[in-house]
Amino acid sequence: MVHLSAQDSSDKMLQELKRHNYITPTHFLELARGYRTVLSAKRTEIGDARDKLSNGLAKLIEARDGVQIMSVELEKKKVVCAQSQKDCENLLVEIVSERRVADEQRKQVEADSERIGKEEIDCKAIADDAEAELNVALPALEKAMAEVEKLDKSAISEVKAYKSPPKQVETVLAAVMILFSKQTDWNTAKKVLGEANFLQSVKSYDKDNVGPSIMKKIKGYVSQADFKPEAVGAVSKAAGALCVWVHAIYIYANVAKEVAPKRARLKGAQESLAVKQASLRKAQEELAEVTAKVNRLKQKYDNSVGEKNRLRAEADQMQMLLERANKLVTGLAGENERWQTSIGHFQGELTRCLGDSLVGSAFLSYAGPFDTHYRSNLVSGWLAAIKEEQLPFTDSLTFAAFCAKPTDVRQWNIQGLPADNFSTENGVITVRCSRWPLMIDPQNQANKWIRRMEKSQLRVVDLKSRDMLREIENGIVYGLPVLLQDVLEELDPALEPVLAKALMKVGNREVLRLGDKELDYNKDFKMYITTKLGNPHYTPEVSTKTTIINFAVKQQGLEAQLLGIVVQKEQPALERQKSDLTLRVAAGKKKLVDLEDEILRLLSETEGSLLENEDLVDTLQQSKVTSDDVSRQLKEAEDTEIRIDLKREEFRSAAIRSSIAYFVLNDMARVDPMYQFSLDAYVDLFNQSMDESRTNAKSISSADRCRQINIAHTLSVYKYTCGGLFERDKLLFALQLCLRILTSEGNIPKQEFDFFCRGGMVSDRSDQRQNPCPEWIDAGTWDNITELDSIPACMGIASSFEQGHRDWRAWFTSSKPEEMSLPGDWENKVTELQRMCIVRALRLDRVLFCANRFVSVNLGPQFADPPPFDLEAIFRSSTYRTPLIFVLSPGVDPTAQVKSLAKKVGANIDICALGQGQASIAMGLLDSGLRKGSWVLLANCHLMLSWMPELEKCINEYCAPTEDSNRAPNRDFRLWLSASPSPHFPISILQRGIKMTTEPPRGLRANLIKLYNSVSEDRFMRCQQRFKYRRLLFALCWFHAVLLERRKFKSLGFNVPYDFNESDHDICHDLIIVFLDEYPDNTPFDAMRYLIAEANYGGRVTEALDRRLVNVYINEFFTPLAVDPQTNFNLAPQMADSPYTIPNDADLPSCRDAIRKFPQSDVATAFGQHANADISSQIEESNTLLDTIVSLQPKVLHDSAESYETQMLRHCSTLQEQTPPAFDVRAIRTTMEPRADPEPMKTVLYQEVDRYNALLLTLHQTLKALELGVQGLVVVTPELEETMGAILDSKVPLSWSRCYPSLKPLLPWMQDLVRRITALQKWTFEAYPRCFWLPGFTYPTGFLTAILQTSARRNGVAIDGLSWEFPVVDVPAASITQHAKDGSYCCGFFLEGARWDYDNSCLTEPVPMELCCSMPVIHFKPVEMKKKTARGIYSCPIYLYPVRTGSRERPSFVISCDLRSGTQSSDHWTCRGTAMLLSTMH
């Protein structure tokens, strides 16, 4: 049911909004998988929340139950604690007594210790004195010992090796031997040196006990002049070291001898001190025994006090636990009740999540592409089905609340996601969908939200990025989010594995193959896809691989955003307070949730008794206090927010108006693909409007300020938009804006609006009121009047035509009925919309003028007068970041205007006409312009649409903000673009830029002014025959302007609308100068006319009849009278009191002045047309306007009315009943063969029957297939779907219109088909027709050829020698009693652009408001060797239907019929565009 309802909604959305959405089996599989996932996750989430609350409750109950037990234990602890206190007091008395004895002994010991300490100081002073004297000799000794340390056995062996040592060495060793009390000879010295411990003996020499005799002997050595270490060291290093040692021993021994008495005194003092210290130690030992006893008593006391304190601590702990328990039980009493309620609620949710999860998963799978209305209907249907299946579900279920946490939603809002429910649903789908989200984001809001949500980690790419795949690879491997932006309707096939999530298992790795690489897939990888297309048509394959989400801004969301902007401008403090409050409320609610989670976490993680954890209880208490404080602040904030919202609501009307204007603006993209406007630019315009609308009034009410803003902004939007609209669409935009505004105010009744858009259509006229004025009200108009009569406000209008038909006719035939008062009391009864409905019913040609008046009355006259084009003002409003885009019309080139402006403002401009091979040149100009600040004009961008993505990327790069001043564009740079409308032009360039439409001037006067402004003074003076030149130049400009402006008459103007341009005029201009200078005496008008009309302008003309018209004009304007100085040559001879005359020998300024005196608006007679020609073109323009308005309206299929299927089945049934049965070809041939009908005519009949049979069979088969398709019994193909849409729109399906062309709506077309079949049946089964109804033939040319064949065979002449005569028979077709002797009588012609004068049997002027009239019977008579067409005969073309060009496969032209032109020449009717039609639109 879910799957089928989504399919039905997609079909309905296609019918109503023309939005395609494909529901595939993948959606159903995702629903099944998603349901399991959502249900499991929801059960876990709800179960965990319930369990946390249950655990918290259990802990609270445990604390409450422990209070009584702890109270009894506390009383026992108090008794034991009192006894322990008494024991401690007794022990304290004994300790005091013992401590007194110990204190006396301590005083004696301390006195002895002080005395002995002084003696120790004296001893130390003696020792320090002796030590100081010794320290004088010690450095030398230490130096000597360092030198000795360097000696080793090799050094000693070196000395010992001397047989006869040097004198210095021998002297040193002699001194050494003396110190060791040895003989001083060399042999003794060598022997001592050879001892193993010699060096050790030197190092350990007893320096303190050197005898006097030795010192005396040594003195003899050390006093010698050559007994110096340096001198000895020069001979032997070892001897030098021993020399240093001898000197050191000598010095040290001398010092030690002087210190010896001090050492003796020190020794005596030390012995005396030792005795006293021994005595002190004994006293101290006795003191220690007494102290130990005191300490033992103190320890016992301390133990007793400790026991007492322990008991008291236990009592205090118990008291504290009781207090904690009371705090918990009392403090969390509210949570106790709330948690119990929540547990019950969670338990209910666990039950209901069975159905809720189904809706949630279905929403995720199916709802993304739909808008709010469709989503609401889908959910309602799903809930009804769940209820029917008796599954539990939540009655007030909302998807966003079910699938998203409020904290997450608030965070998304802060990050830029609009706060309306639709955007919230989109956010949830984006975050939770299983397939990658593809967001339809024409206003770029989803793109901005994604960027803010993912922040710096996000990688942004597009399909045109060179490094797109590399960035996606990095995202896959490193788990980074990737945003693929600005995709179109087709995605890169290289992304297929990523979109399909085609993961492979390789061992323990998950691998994704992208191209030729195998990438390790990181589960943190996320991919977002956005498109700026407003209504993309994605294939089922794309719908299968992605989750399409409609992020297009809705009025509710945009209204909220714009309200914030208004308040920010008007009450900035209020809006800041609102923003701050929003953040505070969001933070407060998040903190409340976090605090409750923290309380529950602490409760759940506590092991053992809750009351024993002091930190936990304090944290719980603090959390509770904080929670209460936050709740209070939150309540205050919410109350304040309500007051602020009420104040903000005072500006709601400005937000409503501005959001309406934006959506009208946004709808224009459906009219023309170049009408693209960005939301950011619109917001800037809104801010600018508010600034400009501000007055100096000190105090102004909010309502008045909103009115100011609305008036200023609506006008700003109109002016801003008109610059980028073609003229034909400016009234459409103003009318749409006006209607939407009035609709929002409840001033546009739907029934009246529907009638204005669609008119009245009567399918069954059997019950219709009789037309009281058939002579001037046709059947279609009377249908409109009777349908208008069914509208309550216009009830009685049909009967008013019976009573006041003269007044109504006077109003009907007036030139400007919209400005005339309505007959009777209708002028005072109707509103402006009802007046438009009346004009639409009776004078469709005046709908544009009436709509203009409607806009002027309701919005103001400034909305009915588009602002003039001002290129300089547009340039001033631009920046280097805004491209200036010309949207081209045929024959208009804005290059000259841009060059002129550049010259005026002193800018350099580089121009590149785009085409094949110009891409590199254009990029070079862009780079140069960005650096130097020059202008760049890239013309004809539509010729290089394949390069436009590169240009788009370049524009995005230089428009991106940069902190590198070297890369920043020059602020004088401007990029100018020109392009014809194309749906493939990049949307982002159009949205970023300022659009300007360029159109040729409208009107003869404007075209003449433009042509004369292009003529320079030098060129004007170049021709020698100045008088003739000036008059013929004026005639040429008039000729050019007439050809251009004649196109407005549509088919009455030209069969094919030709794009004549200024180059055609310039060539002919030069041609006139050449001919006049070459032939000064005899102007060659024939040659001029031929070269201008046939060679130059005629070179563009493809239709022979259009070429005939061009020649008529050139013959009329280029005549000798045009250069006759005596003639005031009239360029519009058919116009009474024509102001269009050639100035007589005027210079260039005088010509321009004369042109400016011409009328601004043109009348049809200026072109040689009848005034009805304006009506015809205006009707076409009115139909275009109304059809466009209808196309912009959603096609609402009301639930209360017939369903789509029922409506379709009813239409099919009606059409099947009306469709005649197919012909029995065999029976027809059997019937016709014995008859005497001419054989060529029989052949025509058989061919016609075959063609109509093919059509009838197609109708029957299609209608049957439609019935089965609607009932779901066959597959609805795209062709059937197209047919269904056409039938519902009352249009003829394309597959039905291949038999013969027609512009009729479906109902008249069906009636016409029945008449055609009836005519063939009468021919077949009754008799050969006396008068043929020519429109009944699918190929009238075949019928006419058969007539010629019949005549040729009858008269025995060659068919090539036959031609036609067309006598008009002034007898009604029904009154013809016999067949024509030769040829055939034919009827069914409609004359357009003229009327048939039955009295004089010739053409004459049509009556006002009569666009077509019936022609009498024409005798198509073959004749042999027809004479040349006589004067007074107009060769009138006959066309199949109003589209005179027909199509490539089926030309509309049938034959030209000679008719008497009456009092006018044939050229007159050529200018009128007079022709006969075999079929009209009704």
Side-chain angles (χ1 to χ4, degrees), residues 1348-1359:
L1348 291 176
Q1349 288 175 338
T1350 302
S1351 179
R1353 292 178 184 180
R1354 180 182 298 157
N1355 298 313
V1357 297
I1359 192 172

Side-chain angles (χ1 to χ4, degrees), residues 116-256:
I116 293 170
K118 290 180 180 179
E119 292 180 3
E120 286 179 345
I121 291 171
D122 294 341
C123 288
K124 188 172 186 312
I126 296 170
D128 290 343
D129 185 31
E131 191 69 24
E133 292 182 5
L134 285 174
N135 284 342
V136 174
L138 283 176
L141 180 63
E142 289 172 357
K143 180 180 179 183
M145 296 310 295
E147 292 294 329
V148 173
E149 286 290 342
K150 296 178 183 177
L151 296 178
D152 54 12
K153 290 184 178 181
S154 61
I156 299 302
S157 299
E158 178 189 343
V159 177
K160 190 171 62 173
Y162 286 122
K163 292 183 180 179
S164 176
K167 185 174 183 304
Q168 291 92 332
V169 173
E170 186 176 4
T171 305
V172 168
L173 286 174
V176 171
M177 291 303 106
I178 291 172
L179 287 172
F180 281 107
S181 302
K182 302 290 186 179
Q183 296 294 322
T184 60
D185 60 286
W186 175 244
N187 290 330
T188 303
K190 284 178 65 177
K191 183 177 179 182
V192 173
L193 288 172
E195 293 177 358
N197 60 346
F198 171 72
L199 288 175
Q200 184 59 36
S201 300
V202 171
K203 295 174 184 177
S204 59
Y205 186 77
D206 186 8
K207 56 187 177 297
D208 293 319
N209 296 306
V210 181
S213 60
I214 294 174
M215 289 296 292
K216 185 176 180 181
K217 293 178 182 177
I218 290 300
K219 182 178 180 183
Y221 284 94
V222 297
S223 59
Q224 294 180 12
D226 57 353
F227 198 78
K228 303 294 183 187
E230 294 81 3
V232 178
V235 178
S236 171
K237 288 184 179 180
L242 291 173
C243 179
V244 171
W245 178 72
V246 170
H247 274 283
I249 292 297
Y250 177 74
I251 294 169
Y252 182 85
N254 282 329
V255 172

